[in-house]
């Protein structure tokens, strides 16, 4: 990935929030700028707090930003050079999905999946399906829209790992047929001492999903995150019938960003300057 220059981090006072916030520009291309009929649409899915946003920010800016406002599901559009071809990459961040642990007597909410019907009928606000997965309507729409899927769990959170299988089943209910490129990411690999999910469990699960497993750390390592998104983009282009099948050299390079839309940034990222930093400067 090549970013022209290093996006300047800007510190701005928040409107309505408290204190200063560090904003990292994520340059955007308005969708109409997208390269016609060469668009790769990716959605990043997973339980709460696994690092979905951090992975996207690391991929797009090469930086790790520790804290964000609650994930509301932003869409990022970038032009990228993929194996020598220019494509428009759209990455949809999503709010967390929750695995409801249904009471043993099978009580709890009716098991139904509000999946977009071919007729486009309105779906219920949320959907609970047989595995007790709780998805907001916007997540179902993102699943419906996307060509490729990044399923994320944290290696430090067994529950987030257990969410992956029902989440994949849910994706399959929305896309019952065809090849849906999927990668499984075990994030926070820098927290080895807090590991709850062995790497081979991730490998095994990825194999059952028909995808590839990547262990990554949005905090520590840009290359690993880049390789993750590169692999999925190549799989999506192959699945969409682009290229002639074999993996070509060239990799993935982000095009020169336009000037960031700071108003847009205000809506996307905020990082409360950590009290540690303040107290250390106060010493
Ligand atoms: N140590 C470590 N912490 C990480 C890593 N990635 C994310 N985090 C932290 O995990 C927390 C959640 O990161 P987010 O990117 O907001 O996770 P999310 O999945 O978008 O969270 P939701 O808003 O709950 O959906 C933040 O405090 C991050 O700083 C990582 O690779 N290593």
């Amino acid at each position: 990935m090549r970013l022209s220059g290093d996006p300047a981090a800007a510190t701005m006072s928040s409107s309505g929030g408290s204190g200063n916030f560090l904003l990292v520009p994520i340059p955007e291309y308005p969708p109409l700028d997208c390269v016609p009929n060469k668009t790769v649409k990716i959605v990043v899915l997973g339980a709460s707090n696994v690092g979905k946003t951090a992975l996207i920010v690391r991929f797009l800016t090469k930086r790790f930003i520790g804290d964000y406002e609650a994930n509301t599901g932003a869409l990022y559009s970038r032009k990228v050079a993929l194996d020598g071809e220019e494509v428009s990459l759209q990455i949809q961040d999503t709010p967390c999905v929750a695995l409801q642990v249904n009471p043993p007597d099978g009580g709890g909410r009716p098991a139904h999946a509000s999946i977009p019907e071919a007729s486009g009928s309105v779906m219920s606000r949320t959907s609970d399906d047989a595995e007790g997965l709780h998805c907001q309507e916007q997540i179902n729409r993102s699943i419906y829209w996307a060509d490729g899927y990044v399923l994320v769990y944290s290696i430090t959170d067994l529950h987030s790992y257990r969410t992956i299988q029902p989440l994949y089943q849910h994706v399959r209910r929305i896309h019952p047929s065809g090849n849906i490129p999927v990668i499984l990411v075990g994030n926070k690999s820098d927290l080895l001492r807090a590991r709850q999910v062995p790497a081979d469990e991730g490998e095994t699960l990825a194999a059952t999903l028909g995808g590839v497993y990547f262990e990554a750390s949005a905090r520590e390592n840009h290359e690993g995150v880049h390789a993750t998104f590169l692999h999925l983009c190549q799989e999506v282009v192959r699945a969409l019938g682009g290229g002639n099948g074999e993996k070509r050299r060239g990799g993935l390079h982000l095009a020169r960003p336009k000037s960031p839309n700071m108003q847009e940034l205000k809506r996307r990222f905020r990082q409360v300057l950590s009290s540690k930093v303040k107290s250390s400067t106060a010493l």
Side-chain angles (χ1 to χ4, degrees):
M1 171 177 94
R2 222 185 9 246
L3 267 183
S4 70
D6 213 10
T11 303
M12 298 171 68
S13 63
S14 72
S15 57
S18 59
N20 285 326
F21 301 97
L22 179 64
L23 293 165
V24 174
I26 300 270
E28 300 274 328
Y29 288 95
L32 75 164
D33 272 15
C34 286
V35 177
N37 75 35
K38 279 204 188 318
T39 302
V40 172
K41 297 180 286 187
I42 286 172
V43 63
V44 181
L45 299 162
S48 176
N49 207 40
V50 296
K52 298 183 292 297
T53 304
L55 285 164
I56 295 170
V57 170
R58 170 62 88 176
F59 170 62
L60 292 178
T61 71
K62 292 189 180 180
R63 294 187 178 186
F64 174 71
I65 303 290
D67 285 304
Y68 308 84
E69 57 193 3
N71 197 332
T72 52
L75 174 66
Y76 304 99
S77 301
R78 296 295 301 279
K79 281 188 189 127
V80 297
L82 180 61
D83 297 337
E85 297 219 0
E86 186 178 66
V87 298
S88 296
L89 173 59
Q90 294 186 323
I91 303 179
Q92 178 69 60
D93 197 357
T94 60
C96 60
V97 295
L99 186 57
Q100 313 288 328
V101 183
N102 285 333
D105 62 359
R109 278 176 285 198
H112 69 275
S114 64
I115 291 171
E117 304 298 330
S119 60
S121 62
V122 177
M123 295 180 293
S124 63
R125 299 301 305 159
T126 62
S127 65
D128 290 354
D129 50 26
E131 288 81 12
L133 193 74
H134 180 72
C135 267
Q136 291 178 35
E137 175 201 346
Q138 76 177 84
I139 294 180
N140 290 331
R141 290 197 181 284
S142 301
I143 292 172
Y144 198 66
W145 161 88
D147 307 312
Y149 301 84
V150 183
L151 305 185
V152 186
Y153 68 92
S154 166
I155 67 161
T156 67
D157 177 357
L158 183 59
H159 185 75
S160 69
Y161 169 79
R162 287 188 175 141
T163 303
I164 296 295
Q165 182 75 42
L167 177 54
Y168 176 75
Q169 299 307 332
H170 190 70
V171 172
R172 270 332 253 183
R173 262 191 291 286
I174 294 175
H175 291 290
S177 57
N179 166 24
I180 52 166
V182 171
I183 54 171
L184 179 62
V185 179
N187 190 34
K188 306 195 183 182
S189 61
D190 55 293
L191 299 178
L192 290 178
R193 274 201 290 265
R195 181 187 284 271
Q196 293 184 4
V197 185
D200 59 352
E201 295 282 335
E203 300 279 0
T204 306
L205 180 55
T208 61
L209 307 183
V212 176
Y213 177 62
F214 288 85
E215 204 149 275
S217 168
R219 175 186 285 274
E220 302 282 326
N221 174 298
H222 166 69
E223 287 63 32
V225 175
H226 186 278
T228 301
F229 281 93
L230 167 61
H231 178 86
L232 184 60
C233 288
Q234 289 172 327
E235 291 299 304
V236 167
V237 168
R238 226 190 310 285
L240 294 178
N244 45 16
E246 85 278 353
K247 203 173 260 195
R248 288 166 43 197
R249 306 300 309 152
L252 176 60
H253 304 283
L254 295 179
R256 187 180 185 78
K258 289 179 180 165
S259 61
N261 170 349
M262 297 309 281
Q263 279 314 314
E264 187 60 12
L265 296 174
K266 220 176 167 72
R267 211 172 48 77
R268 292 193 186 291
F269 289 97
R270 61 179 59 202
Q271 176 187 21
V272 181
L273 296 182
S274 74
S275 54
K276 289 189 293 300
V277 170
K278 285 181 184 166
S279 56
S280 64
T281 47
L283 288 179

